[in-house]
Amino acid sequence: DTEVTQTPKHLVMGMTNKKSLKCEQHMGHRAMYWYKQKAKKPPELMFVYSYEKLSINESVPSRFSPECPNSSLLNLHLHALQPEDSALYLCASSQDPGGDYGYTFGSGTRLTVV
Amino acid sequence: KNEVEQSPQNLTAQEGEFITINCSYSVGISALHWLQQHPGGGIVSLFMLSSGKKKHGRLIATINIQEKHSSLHITASHPRDSAVYICAVAGNQFYFGTGTSLTVIP
């Protein structure tokens, strides 16, 4: 299995909703990442988990809450989002935190906040 | 200043043309990645380079570590190559270029 699987592929949520994005990999990668990508812009790093511990939080608002239940799973819990949070949310993983052995990206979750 | 600069930003080519996308970076890196993203889609890793040259089908990627420069070439371009191509470097963190939007016209 050489993929990063993200679910759901599309999500529409209201500003008062609570939802979660899920990311899964079974490649034994020890680093996992959440990125946010707005249209026609490069991805922006949100969070990095290294060996299941949060190692980087790029000043992301608390309405985004990451969770790494085990080495294969990464969740992003969403609560009280704003319309400007609508974006493509990408998960990625790498064998080591430095990414020396390459990154694998998921296909993303397209989030729309209404 | 962006740590990774790409050129051109936008590129339109006729089918069959040879295409070159350039990437320059200003940080120390352990590896450089070329990524492809189709509209509305996820990102696919095309190449990871730390030196020299790699080839995969019609795609060729080169890197010059001394000059901190990499190029992605597409030979015999095809409309299905239309996508955004992103250069990214792995330094003390992962830095993305702003991408090159390629359109190949039949």
Side-chain angles (χ1 to χ4, degrees), chain A residues 36-81:
Chain A
K36 174 183 176 180
Q37 187 179 27
K38 301 286 272 185
K40 299 187 189 298
K41 298 284 187 186
E44 297 173 10
L45 183 64
M46 299 175 73
F47 301 105
V48 180
Y49 271 83
S50 175
Y51 295 91
E52 300 164 50
K53 291 191 180 349
L54 183 64
S55 62
I56 295 178
N57 175 342
E58 290 287 345
S59 303
V60 179
S62 60
R63 57 186 185 267
F64 296 92
S65 173
E67 179 199 17
C68 189
N70 59 58
S71 59
S72 300
L73 269 178
L74 185 65
N75 298 320
L76 186 62
H77 302 299
L78 315 172
H79 174 53
L81 295 194

Side-chain angles (χ1 to χ4, degrees), chain B residues 33-104:
Chain B
H33 301 252
W34 281 104
L35 310 169
Q36 181 193 56
Q37 187 172 33
H38 283 100
I43 291 176
V44 174
S45 179
L46 299 174
F47 294 104
M48 185 181 75
L49 293 163
S50 52
S51 65
K53 177 178 171 178
K54 285 190 176 179
K55 185 174 189 292
H56 185 247
R58 295 179 293 106
L59 301 177
I60 303 165
T62 63
I63 187 169
N64 184 319
I65 297 292
Q66 286 73 32
E67 294 184 6
K68 295 191 172 181
H69 181 269
S70 176
S71 294
L72 177 68
H73 306 285
I74 305 176
T75 61
S77 59
H78 190 276
R80 64 174 174 267
D81 297 326
S82 298
V84 174
Y85 292 83
I86 303 170
C87 173
V89 299
N92 57 359
Q93 60 175 296
F94 207 55
Y95 299 97
F96 289 88
T98 50
T100 295
S101 179
L102 171 66
T103 303
V104 181

Side-chain angles (χ1 to χ4, degrees), chain A:
Chain A
D1 187 350
T2 58
E3 290 185 350
V4 171
T5 303
Q6 287 188 247
T7 54
K9 292 199 184 311
H10 300 274
L11 178 62
V12 179
M13 62 184 288
M15 289 190 283
T16 57
N17 290 161
K18 282 187 183 181
K19 297 284 185 185
S20 296
L21 310 185
K22 182 178 167 183
C23 173
E24 197 165 357
Q25 57 87 15
H26 297 286
M27 295 176 281
H29 286 181
R30 303 317 301 265
M32 296 184 76
Y33 311 81
W34 279 116
Y35 288 91
K36 174 183 176 180
Q37 187 179 27
K38 301 286 272 185
K40 299 187 189 298
K41 298 284 187 186
E44 297 173 10
L45 183 64
M46 299 175 73
F47 301 105
V48 180
Y49 271 83
S50 175
Y51 295 91
E52 300 164 50
K53 291 191 180 349
L54 183 64
S55 62
I56 295 178
N57 175 342
E58 290 287 345
S59 303
V60 179
S62 60
R63 57 186 185 267
F64 296 92
S65 173
E67 179 199 17
C68 189
N70 59 58
S71 59
S72 300
L73 269 178
L74 185 65
N75 298 320
L76 186 62
H77 302 299
L78 315 172
H79 174 53
L81 295 194
Q82 303 296 310
E84 59 264 29
D85 296 322
S86 299
L88 180 69
Y89 288 83
L90 291 160
C91 175
S93 70
S94 62
Q95 186 174 331
D96 68 284
D100 289 356
Y101 300 98
Y103 282 68
T104 303
F105 284 88
S107 56
T109 294
R110 175 72 58 189
L111 174 67
T112 303
V113 181
V114 297

Side-chain angles (χ1 to χ4, degrees), chain B residues 4-26:
Chain B
V4 182
E5 300 278 356
Q6 280 185 242
S7 63
Q9 270 194 302
N10 297 284
L11 182 55
T12 301
Q14 288 292 135
E15 183 172 356
E17 281 185 13
F18 180 83
I19 287 161
T20 295
I21 300 170
N22 294 301
C23 173
S24 296
Y25 55 92
S26 57

